[in-house]
Each structure stands twice: as structure tokens, then as C-alpha cells.
Amino acid sequence: MIISMRPHAPKHEVDYVCERIQHFGFRVHSIVGEERVVIGVVGTGGDVTSCLESLEATPGVERAVRISAPYKFVSKEFRKERTVIHVGKAAIGGDEFVTMAGPCSVESEKQIMETAEAVAAAGAKILRGGAFKPRTSPYDFQGMEGEGLKLLAKAREATGLAIVTEVMSDRDVPLVAEYADIMQVGARNMQNFAMLKVLGKCGRPVMLKRGLSATIKELLMSAEYIVAHGNPNVMLCERGIRTFETATRNTCDISAVPVLNELTHLPVIIDPSHAVGKRSLVPAICKAAVAVGADGMIVEVHPCPEKAISDGAQSLTIEGFQEMMKQLQGYIALWSLERAA
Ligand code: PEP
Ligand code: MN
């Protein structure tokens, strides 16, 4: 159950509602927003129907909704309207399909600036680039860290692109939040609950990537952590899951998009690059992403993929990215018509 208090309800009303919830044998999880307090009623102890009826009649309560899903704040039952996240010039979840593009890792000033200029000119609104890199081998490049973040900020200044970059530890959240417009949680950290809690308070939108072997329900439960800790601006990212198939790096669960669109109001982004792991397959998955109603895509692009320090095989060249963006125009026009309908 979720209780939305009236805008600017006084503290004594909020306290009384919490008291009533506890009286029925439930626990309280409040989120204090700028306008209103939203209270999650959690636990299994009490009589839901009586509690709901009582709260509906309690002063200060605007709305009390019963939510059957285990994820509450992110569910469609709680909120029917799409969440729209404003970042730089983009409105993710709104009436435009948003393209995020850039290299897997920030490698040098020349590399990130050249890529940023090119993807901006081709229509991207957000620049991606990892400064903290989750690598399978401890001997592989681990990212430029703080220096990489500074280069991303420089690229933002030069191009007007917003920045999405990964944060790998709760300890690094304040530093990454200084530079990033969107905090990326990588697949390997989807269930780093300590970090998800800190991201609830980081003041920046979060892009939460689906874990390598995570179900859709688990993805939504992780998003719930961030929202329940105070941050409503979460977007979900399907980046391929592990299956028995070896022809692609992962298996792109394209059906996750319509499934998520039924279950949640949060925006859904597709990452075709990590899903397939092979440059030649990326444009087809981008077309699919637009066709199934994703809110955007995040694509790896490198000025010289054969020299990339990470993920060169799946990175589009700048020319390849330009060509793909042209090919996508018709698909995106159709997407816009459907969104407006
Ligand atoms: C990345 O975006 O470069 C990355 C490491 O992605 P994922 O966490 O999906 O593997
Ligand atoms: Mn990568």
C-alpha cells in the first residue's frame, strides 16, 4: 500500500498517518519530496483492507492505493503516467526517442572530444563513457577514474551533451555525482544494495542496468531500492542477459521492453552494444528497440575501434554511427506518432 499525502501536509498529519499505519501492524517507509510526503506501508502483519479504509478517511491523506506487486513505488499500480527524466536537452521517457552514445571507456582527451563532437552532430543528446570500468580481469585497464570524469565534463562543455557514466562503489557516488548528469549502475552492480541506497540520495538521475542473470522482477526490486531511498529519477536498461547462446555476447531480451512498459512507469533504455557484442549486429537491435517502444538507446561508438582499450568489437565507428542514425529516422518518426497517439 502507498499513501500520498496532500501537498505540504503539516508534520502532525504525517505523524498521525504513520501512527495509524503502525496501529494496524505495518511498518512505515516515507519519502519526503519537495511538495509532498509519500508513505510506503510495508510488512505483512496487518489487515490491509481495514488499514486502507481507515487511511482514506484520515486528515491529510490525498490517496491510498493498494499495490499487489512486491515493488511499490516503481509499479504501474502506483503511478499510471510515465516518469519523464529531464537531463540536459533530453526528456527521457517523454515524447522523443533519446540517443546516448560514446566510447566504452574514456581513454584520452582526443578520443572523448572527437567522439563527443561526432555523436552530437549525428543526433545524440547524451555522451556515454566509462571512467570507472568493471573489468573481468584485474589486469585489464580499470579506467581513467577522476581524470576521465574531468575529460567528460570538458566534452560536455564543448558540445552541450549531458554525461552518463558508471559508478562502481558507494564510496565513489559523491565524486561521480559531481560530474555525471546520469549515474550509471552497471550490470554487475545491479544488486549492490548498499550503493543503490546511497544513489537514492545522490540527487542525480540513475540508469540501472539489468544484471547478467537478473529477472525482470529483480531489476524492478533494485529500482525500488533507489526510489524508496528518495530518488524517483530512475531509468532501466536492458543490456542482454546470459543464456546458452554463444553467437552473441549476451542475449538481448527485447521482450523486456514491452514487459517493463506494462509493469512500470520508469523509462526503458536498450543497450544493443553489450547485448550483442558485435558491431555488425548493433543497428538491427537499435531498430528493434525503437519498434518495441523503448525510450532510448545507449550505443558504444569509437573513432578507431580496433585501437579501443575496451569493447572495440562492439563499438560502431563514427561513420557507422552516422549511417545508423540515418537509417533509424523512419523508425523514430513512427515511434513519435505512436507516442503522441
Ligand atoms: C558499459 O556500459 O560499458 C558496461 C560495462 O556495461 P554493463 O554493465 O552492461 O556490462
Ligand atoms: Mn563497454
Side-chain angles (χ1 to χ4, degrees), residues 10-11 22 29-30 62-63 67 74 77 88 104 106 110 128 140 144-145 158 177 194 196 219 226 249 266 301:
K11 185 173 177 305
Q22 282 153 357
H29 187 105
S30 320
E62 185 175 70
R63 200 165 67 107
I67 294 177
V74 307
E77 289 170 277
C104 179
V106 181
K110 182 171 180 298
R128 64 147 290 148
D140 286 343
M144 290 180 79
E145 304 186 341
L196 300 181
L219 172 63
I226 305 169
R249 181 176 177 180
L266 299 178
V301 178

Side-chain angles (χ1 to χ4, degrees), residues 53-296:
E53 281 171 6
S54 163
L55 290 170
E56 276 170 343
T58 305
V61 170
E62 185 175 70
R63 200 165 67 107
V65 247
R66 186 182 215 142
I67 294 177
S68 50
Y71 37 85
K72 310 288 178 197
F73 293 111
V74 307
S75 79
K76 266 270 172 75
E77 289 170 277
F78 174 56
R79 191 185 142 106
K80 304 259 170 307
E81 318 76 56
R82 293 169 182 282
T83 287
V84 180
I85 305 176
H86 295 272
V87 180
K89 292 179 197 148
I92 303 157
D95 55 9
E96 58 171 334
F97 183 84
V98 176
T99 299
M100 314 183 191
C104 179
S105 304
V106 181
E107 298 170 1
S108 67
E109 178 162 348
K110 182 171 180 298
Q111 174 242 24
I112 197 68
M113 291 306 239
E114 194 178 331
T115 315
E117 304 277 3
V119 299
K125 294 274 165 62
I126 296 169
L127 175 67
R128 64 147 290 148
F132 291 90
K133 293 304 302 176
R135 304 306 300 280
T136 303
S137 166
Y139 307 117
D140 286 343
F141 176 61
Q142 304 287 307
M144 290 180 79
E145 304 186 341
E147 279 312 299
L149 294 175
K150 284 185 189 146
L151 293 179
L152 287 167
K154 207 163 179 187
R156 170 175 50 208
E157 220 165 276
T159 59
L161 292 171
I163 302 296
V164 57
T165 194
E166 180 161 355
V167 59
M168 283 174 38
S169 144
D170 50 348
R171 209 185 42 223
D172 296 330
V173 167
L175 172 68
V176 177
E178 254 182 63
Y179 294 92
D181 298 289
I182 303 173
M183 311 284 280
Q184 174 176 326
V185 178
R188 290 152 194 84
N189 270 311
M190 188 200 86
Q191 289 188 317
N192 180 342
F193 300 118
M195 184 165 80
L196 300 181
K197 288 181 192 173
V198 175
L199 287 166
K201 306 259 176 277
C202 75
R204 297 264 181 233
V206 175
M207 182 171 74
L208 178 66
K209 294 186 106 182
R210 182 177 180 181
L212 278 69
S213 302
T215 62
I216 288 175
K217 183 174 161 190
E218 287 164 339
L219 172 63
L220 289 168
M221 292 308 292
S222 286
E224 183 80 7
Y225 261 90
I226 305 169
V227 179
H229 283 83
N231 187 350
N233 295 318
V234 179
M235 62 199 90
L236 307 169
C237 178
E238 167 60 44
R239 46 77 72 204
I241 48 175
R242 262 202 187 159
T243 68
F244 52 81
E245 183 54 73
T246 54
T248 46
R249 181 176 177 180
N250 291 289
T251 296
C252 183
D253 181 7
I254 200 77
S255 61
V257 179
V259 170
L260 286 167
N261 280 338
E262 274 188 8
L263 299 176
T264 181
H265 49 86
L266 299 178
V268 181
I269 307 296
I270 284 274
D271 174 345
S273 312
H274 293 87
V276 297
K278 194 173 165 200
R279 181 178 315 125
S280 63
L281 303 175
V282 166
I285 303 302
C286 292
K287 288 173 192 162
V290 181
V292 292
D295 295 286

